[in-house]
Amino acid sequence: MPSTPEIVRIEARPYVALRGKVTMDGIGAFAARLGEVVGWLAAREIAPNGAPFIKYDVVDMDAELVLETGFPVDDVHAGEGEIVTGVIPAGQYATLRHHGHPDGLLAANHDLQVWAAEQGLQWDADGDRWAARLEIYYSDPFEVPDLNEWETDLQFKLKD
């Protein structure tokens, strides 16, 4: 069940992630590759400083999505291969906390977008390309094995 949406100011966050292109039905398999990022970070003795996320760079639900799954880190690093680095931009974000199974995230995304439209808010996006559209996963599957108890934040950057 989602919480009430709100607008929050978020500071810039360097990150390391795996980048890929998938269709809607491939998101789960792509997210499962997060372990590759964990291994890459561990090999370089870089510690994540926050919860894992999926960053939606291009969202075309009828065709292809460009995603990054990774972790925030303290400093900007150089990536290699499918591992990319960057900075999630600072700014105002429309946010929504989703409590429940990840299958409910599509509806939570819809709810956040409807709320933003009702508020007259504009996304920092150019068509299907988003400046920052994130799902942040706070629940560790080893500590919270029941997916119905997971906590996930949606954070969508608003136009400055």
Side-chain angles (χ1 to χ4, degrees):
M1 170 179 280
S3 63
T4 302
E6 60 183 343
I7 299 172
V8 298
R9 170 101 185 135
I10 296 177
E11 296 305 315
R13 297 165 280 177
Y15 69 90
V16 172
L18 175 73
R19 185 174 178 88
K21 294 179 181 181
V22 302
T23 58
M24 282 293 290
D25 63 356
I27 294 174
F30 180 76
R33 294 181 62 195
L34 183 64
E36 294 175 39
V37 180
V38 171
W40 191 92
L41 290 169
R44 288 153 185 81
E45 298 182 352
I46 301 169
N49 74 0
F53 62 82
I54 295 178
K55 181 173 175 281
Y56 292 76
D57 291 334
V58 178
V59 180
D60 182 344
M61 294 173 68
D62 296 323
E64 190 172 68
L65 298 99
V66 178
L67 307 179
E68 296 176 354
T69 184
F71 292 92
V73 294
D74 289 332
D75 300 301
V76 177
H77 298 275
E80 58 189 305
E82 290 180 293
I83 301 292
V84 298
T85 63
V87 177
I88 297 168
Q92 298 288 106
Y93 284 73
T95 67
L96 177 71
R97 171 71 50 101
H98 172 72
H99 176 85
H101 198 286
D103 286 348
L105 287 169
L106 191 59
N109 272 273
H110 177 263
D111 292 347
L112 182 58
Q113 291 182 48
V114 167
W115 174 83
E118 290 170 350
Q119 305 302 310
L121 302 174
Q122 292 185 327
W123 304 121
D124 190 349
D126 182 9
D128 294 337
R129 297 185 178 281
W130 289 72
R133 178 175 171 167
L134 299 125
E135 292 176 356
I136 302 173
Y137 298 89
Y138 293 109
S139 301
D140 181 331
F142 294 108
E143 294 175 13
V144 185
D146 182 353
L147 298 176
N148 295 308
E149 295 301 320
W150 277 23
E151 296 285 336
T152 308
D153 272 359
L154 303 178
Q155 296 180 352
F156 294 6
K157 187 171 184 308
L158 298 169
K159 192 171 292 253
D160 293 328

